[in-house]
């Protein structure tokens, strides 16, 4: 064998294995990349995720483009199935815990990931309004964790990963917790866990951010019977007048066509339907939805059934109660409704009562003397504030002096002859008449001065607590039949808020009184013009005091509690990342 043949054999023997060894890494990378790509696609199909995948078998890199979403819960009334049921096939990819629920999604971008193994794949987190997420979990039955919210409020983004914010209804499992900040971009990162058995509420329960305003109580049977008797008499009279009017109309419409009757009947029917709907609204509860800006919607709920769908509610006009820059009606109503809806069981409320209204409700601004002058309270219930007057001795001396002068004059008349006696008697009568008239004028002038002095002293009398003022005003309203005697302060406020939604004129008068009250509180106290306003609209002032007292009760009820921590966190983070 020649040397050239030996060299070729050596090259073949050594080179072929070396070549095979050289392509083995490429083959391995190809197989490993294809296997990882197949696993990733399987994971995406299982999670029902649409994604674009690309692979580089040489460099063993897989690119996955996944959409990024902004989500929000489905409408509670129109999409009940999606709202109350959890997803049947949630995603098992890390970062996809949000797929536990059915969301209303909106694509806001695409996130590209470069991974080598399938375990490195992460599902992009979604953007969601923090208050909508918390409200949704509370509506399902989750329980807030007081320790977690306190820690989140104090430490912010440095809150430890895994810190529980919401728990399952049995408090045994974590429903909402702090997640890693890998994909948060500076936002608060959360993860959620939920099981179908944890849902303890249903569509019949009132959702968060909503309150139910009760209608005024039914009238007593005696009042109803008298009212029915009067209405029956009115109906009989109306029928008689209608009969005569019909006879006249028949004679007048003989020459006219039937077209005019067809044109006139629909407006009458529409007016009747509007009147009947107004009567139903006055007797039905009203549910109101609130946000950080105030009242959002008001619905008249059918009293025969729960709030389970949008078919048993009637949307009400509430533009007169919206918060605007030049009118304070919306702020007063939202503040009073917040105080009415805030109880010991309330942990979530979106509207924050303005600081100026809170400061106004805390101050003592109503003098007790004014309430006594208005006959709201008895003098035995107030401290001594007016100057006492004792005119008994002065009156006794005046009568004694007049009788003595009369005896002296009559004795002098007895010594006169008949003609002079008649003249003296007439002069004495005229003198006594003039004296009585002068005394009456002096007494009237003195009483007017004393009334004015008493008025000024009443304005300067000690100021009472708002709650005490409201209690006496409630008794005054009940004594005059304006309020039902069985209602307490909170129930009375509920009926007032109910009427404010339906009656725009009443709401305006009540809010204007509150504006005037707040103005005199800021200007150093009540003045004569303010006192005159109270005298002319005392019933409106009494009703307004009920609203202010309820706001005062709600001012410090939840300081340092779970409710304050939760609401403060919701204000700090409007939008969070959920994954």
């Amino acid at each position: 064998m020649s040397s050239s043949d030996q060299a070729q054999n050596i090259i073949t023997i050594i080179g072929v294995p070396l070549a095979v060894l050289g392509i083995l890494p490429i083959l391995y990378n190809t197989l490993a990349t294809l296997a990882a790509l197949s696993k990733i696609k399987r994971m995406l199909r299982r999670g029902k995720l649409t994604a674009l995948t690309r692979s580089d078998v040489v460099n063993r890199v897989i690119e996955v483009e996944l959409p990024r979403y902004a989500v929000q819960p489905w409408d509670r009334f129109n999409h009940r199935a999606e709202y109350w049921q959890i997803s049947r096939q949630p995603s098992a990819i890390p970062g996809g815990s949000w797929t536990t629920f059915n969301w209303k999604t909106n694509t806001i971008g695409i996130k590209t990931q470069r991974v080598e193994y399938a375990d490195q794949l992460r599902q992009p987190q979604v953007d969601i309004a923090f208050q909508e997420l918390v409200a949704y979990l509370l509506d399902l039955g989750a329980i807030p964790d007081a320790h977690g919210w306190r820690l989140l409020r104090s430490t912010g983004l440095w809150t430890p990963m895994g810190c529980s914010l919401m728990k399952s209804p049995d408090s045994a499992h974590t429903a909402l917790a702090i997640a890693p900040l890998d994909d948060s971009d500076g936002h608060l990162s959360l993860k959620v866990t939920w099981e179908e058995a944890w849902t303890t509420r249903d569509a019949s329960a009132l959702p968060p951010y909503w309150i139910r305003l009760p209608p005024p109580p039914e009238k007593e049977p005696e009042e109803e019977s008298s009212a029915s008797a009067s209405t029956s008499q009115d109906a009989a009279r109306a029928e008689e007048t209608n009969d005569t009017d019909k006879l006249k109309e028949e004679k007048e419409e003989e020459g006219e066509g039937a077209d005019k009757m067809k044109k006139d009947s629909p407006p009458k029917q529409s007016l009747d339907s509007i009147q009947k709907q107004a009567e139903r609204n006055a007797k039905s509860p009203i549910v109101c939805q609130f946000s950080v800006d105030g009242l959002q919607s008001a619905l008249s709920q059918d009293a025969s059934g729960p709030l389970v769908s949008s078919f048993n509610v009637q949307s009400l006009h509430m533009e007169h109660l919206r918060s605007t820059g030049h009118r304070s009606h919306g702020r007063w109503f939202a503040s009073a409704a917040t105080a009415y809806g805030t109880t010991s069981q309330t942990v979530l409320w979106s509207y924050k009562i303005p600081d100026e209204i809170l400061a106004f409700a805390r101050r003592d601004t109503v003098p007790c003397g004014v309430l006594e002058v208005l006959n709201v309270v008895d003098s035995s219930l107030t401290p001594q504030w007016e100057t006492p007057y004792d005119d008994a001795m002065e009156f006794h001396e005046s009568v004694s002096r007049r009788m003595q002068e009369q005896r002296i004059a009559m004795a002098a008349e007895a010594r006169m002859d008949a003609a002079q006696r008649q003249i003296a008697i007439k002069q004495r009568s005229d003198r006594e008449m003039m004296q009585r008239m002068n005394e009456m004028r002096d007494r009237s002038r003195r009483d007017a001065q004393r009334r004015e002095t008493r008025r000024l002293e009443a304005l300067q009398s000690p100021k009472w607590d708002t709650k005490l003022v409201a209690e006496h005003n409630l008794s005054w309203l009940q004594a005059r039949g304006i309020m039902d005697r069985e209602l307490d302060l909170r129930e009375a406020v509920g009926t007032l808020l109910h009427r404010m939604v339906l009656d725009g004129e009443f709401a305006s008068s009540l809010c204007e009184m509150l504006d005037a009250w707040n103005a005199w509180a800021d200007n150093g106290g009540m003045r004569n013009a303010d006192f005159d306003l109270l005298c002319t609209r005392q019933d409106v002032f009494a009703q307004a005091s009920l609203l202010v007292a309820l706001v005062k009760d709600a001012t410090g009820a939840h300081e340092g509690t779970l409710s304050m921590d939760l609401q403060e966190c919701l204000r700090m983070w409007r939008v969070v990342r959920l994954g």
Side-chain angles (χ1 to χ4, degrees):
M1 181 180 296
S2 64
S3 59
S4 61
D5 293 337
Q6 291 179 356
Q8 291 178 357
N9 292 336
I10 293 173
I11 293 173
T12 302
I13 296 172
I14 298 175
V16 171
L18 289 177
V20 172
L21 291 175
I23 63 172
L24 281 179
I26 299 176
L27 294 176
Y28 175 77
N29 288 342
T30 302
L31 294 176
T33 303
L34 293 176
L37 180 62
S38 176
K39 186 176 181 180
I40 289 175
K41 289 183 177 180
R42 190 163 56 250
M43 294 169 61
L44 295 174
R45 284 196 303 269
R46 190 179 297 113
K48 293 185 176 180
L49 301 176
T50 58
L52 179 62
T53 59
R54 292 186 296 269
S55 61
D56 184 355
V57 296
V58 177
N59 297 319
R60 199 176 176 181
V61 174
I62 302 174
E63 286 188 357
V64 182
E65 292 184 356
L66 283 169
R68 184 185 290 278
Y69 298 103
V71 300
Q72 64 179 147
W74 285 97
D75 186 82
R76 194 177 192 266
F77 301 128
N78 298 326
H79 300 87
R80 292 175 56 191
E82 294 85 353
Y83 186 89
W84 293 104
Q85 296 178 4
I86 64 175
S87 177
R88 295 183 179 180
Q89 291 183 340
S91 174
I93 303 175
S97 66
W98 60 273
T99 59
T100 303
F101 300 106
N102 298 305
W103 301 101
K104 189 177 181 181
T105 60
N106 183 26
T107 304
I108 59 175
I110 294 177
K111 180 177 177 58
T112 302
Q113 301 181 57
R114 292 173 175 268
V115 298
E116 186 176 353
Y117 303 101
D119 298 338
Q120 296 175 340
L121 182 64
R122 295 291 183 268
Q123 188 166 344
Q125 292 180 317
V126 294
D127 292 350
I128 184 172
F130 200 9
Q131 67 172 1
E132 291 184 357
L133 173 62
V134 175
Y136 182 47
L137 293 177
L138 286 174
D139 203 10
L140 294 179
I143 299 176
D145 189 334
H147 174 71
W149 288 106
R150 189 181 308 112
L151 192 62
L152 177 62
R153 180 182 180 183
S154 59
T155 59
L157 294 177
W158 284 267
T159 305
M161 186 179 64
C163 178
S164 174
L165 299 180
M166 308 282 288
K167 289 186 174 294
S168 59
D170 56 1
S171 300
H173 304 85
T174 299
L176 183 67
I178 303 296
L181 299 175
D182 300 338
D183 190 31
S184 62
D185 297 332
H187 292 78
L188 181 63
S189 181
L190 304 173
K191 59 181 178 181
V192 66
T193 304
W194 196 261
E195 296 181 5
E196 190 172 1
W198 295 355
T199 304
T200 56
R201 288 164 52 91
D202 54 20
S204 61
L206 200 64
Y209 304 130
W210 290 69
I211 62 169
R212 180 180 285 108
L213 303 177
E218 295 288 339
K219 291 184 178 181
E220 296 180 357
E222 296 180 357
E223 297 179 357
E224 290 182 353
S225 60
S226 61
S228 61
S230 61
T231 53
S232 62
Q233 293 177 359
D234 295 340
R237 294 174 184 172
E239 288 180 358
E240 294 177 358
T241 56
N242 288 336
D243 292 338
T244 57
D245 293 339
K246 286 180 180 178
L247 292 175
K248 294 179 181 180
E249 290 176 358
E250 288 178 358
K251 293 179 180 179
E252 293 176 355
E253 292 179 354
E254 284 180 356
E256 300 177 0
D259 297 336
K260 184 176 181 181
M261 297 176 62
K262 293 181 181 179
K263 293 180 181 178
D264 294 340
S265 57
K268 183 179 179 181
Q269 294 177 358
S270 62
L271 290 175
D272 292 341
S273 62
I274 293 173
Q275 184 177 3
K276 291 179 181 178
Q277 184 61 45
E279 293 175 355
R280 285 195 297 268
N281 293 339
K283 298 179 181 179
S284 302
I286 295 177
V287 289
C288 299
Q289 182 187 13
F290 290 85
S291 69
V292 293
D293 299 322
L295 181 64
Q296 291 297 307
S297 62
L299 306 175
S300 179
Q301 181 184 353
D302 187 3
S304 61
L307 188 66
V308 296
S309 68
S310 59
F311 299 105
N312 66 335
V313 294
Q314 178 72 26
S315 180
L316 299 175
H317 176 76
M318 36 74 69
E319 294 299 324
H320 59 287
L321 295 177
R322 283 192 182 274
S323 298
T324 57
H326 61 283
R327 297 182 62 186
S328 60
H329 296 28
R331 292 192 305 141
W332 287 116
F333 179 80
S335 300
T338 297
Y340 176 79
T342 303
T343 63
S344 59
Q345 304 296 327
T346 305
V347 296
L348 179 63
W349 193 256
S350 56
Y351 185 79
K352 183 180 182 298
I353 302 177
D355 294 336
E356 57 270 19
I357 294 181
L358 292 178
F360 162 68
R362 293 191 184 103
R363 279 183 290 177
D364 301 337
T365 55
V366 180
C368 63
V370 172
L371 297 179
E372 184 176 340
V373 174
L374 295 175
N375 297 321
V376 176
V377 297
D378 189 72
S379 59
S380 60
L381 301 176
T382 61
Q384 182 64 37
W385 57 270
E386 59 179 329
T387 303
Y389 298 99
D390 188 6
D391 300 331
M393 185 59 67
E394 183 180 354
F395 178 75
H396 177 71
E397 291 177 355
S398 176
V399 171
S400 299
R401 185 170 56 253
R402 192 184 310 117
M403 293 178 65
Q404 184 179 5
E405 292 176 355
Q406 187 179 17
R407 284 195 303 267
I408 294 173
M410 292 177 66
E413 293 169 0
R415 293 190 296 269
M416 298 178 184
D417 56 12
Q420 291 179 346
R421 185 182 303 113
Q422 292 296 330
I423 295 174
I425 291 175
K426 185 177 183 304
Q427 291 176 352
R428 179 173 58 83
S429 300
D430 293 343
R431 187 170 58 252
E432 290 178 351
M433 178 64 70
M434 184 62 65
Q435 185 179 7
R436 283 194 294 269
M437 291 180 63
N438 290 334
E439 289 179 352
M440 289 179 60
R441 281 195 294 267
D442 293 340
R443 191 181 303 111
S444 177
R445 190 181 303 110
R446 182 192 61 190
D447 292 342
Q449 291 177 352
R450 288 183 178 179
R451 284 195 299 269
E452 185 64 24
T453 302
R454 186 170 186 261
R455 181 188 179 109
L456 294 177
E457 291 176 344
L459 296 176
Q460 298 172 2
S461 61
K463 296 179 175 60
W464 271 5
D465 178 73
T466 308
K467 181 69 176 296
L468 184 60
V469 174
E471 291 175 353
H472 288 292
N473 277 329
L474 179 60
S475 301
W476 184 85
L477 291 170
Q478 292 173 342
R480 281 153 183 77
I482 302 176
M483 284 286 179
D484 192 272
R485 292 184 177 273
E486 298 180 356
L487 298 178
D488 58 12
L489 178 62
R490 187 173 183 276
E491 294 171 343
V493 171
T495 59
L496 288 178
L497 296 174
H498 185 280
R499 184 180 173 187
M500 289 178 70
V501 176
L502 298 178
D503 192 346
E505 184 178 355
F506 173 74
S508 297
S509 63
L510 207 59
C511 294
E512 289 172 0
M513 176 60 70
L514 289 170
D515 287 334
W517 187 354
N518 190 23
W520 92 56
D522 291 337
N523 293 333
M526 186 184 297
R527 302 179 182 179
N528 284 324
D530 305 319
F531 186 81
D532 294 336
L533 177 63
L534 263 61
C535 293
T536 55
R537 304 173 65 184
Q538 185 176 353
D539 55 338
V540 179
F541 168 72
Q543 293 168 336
S545 66
L546 306 183
L547 303 182
V548 178
L550 196 64
V551 172
K552 181 181 183 298
D553 287 344
T555 53
H558 301 288
E559 291 292 338
T561 61
L562 167 63
S563 177
M564 294 298 297
D565 294 334
L566 192 149
Q567 294 183 29
E568 185 63 26
C569 291
L570 294 184
R571 278 187 284 272
M572 291 169 60
W573 291 283
R574 300 288 185 179
V575 178
V576 297
R577 291 283 176 86
L578 181 63

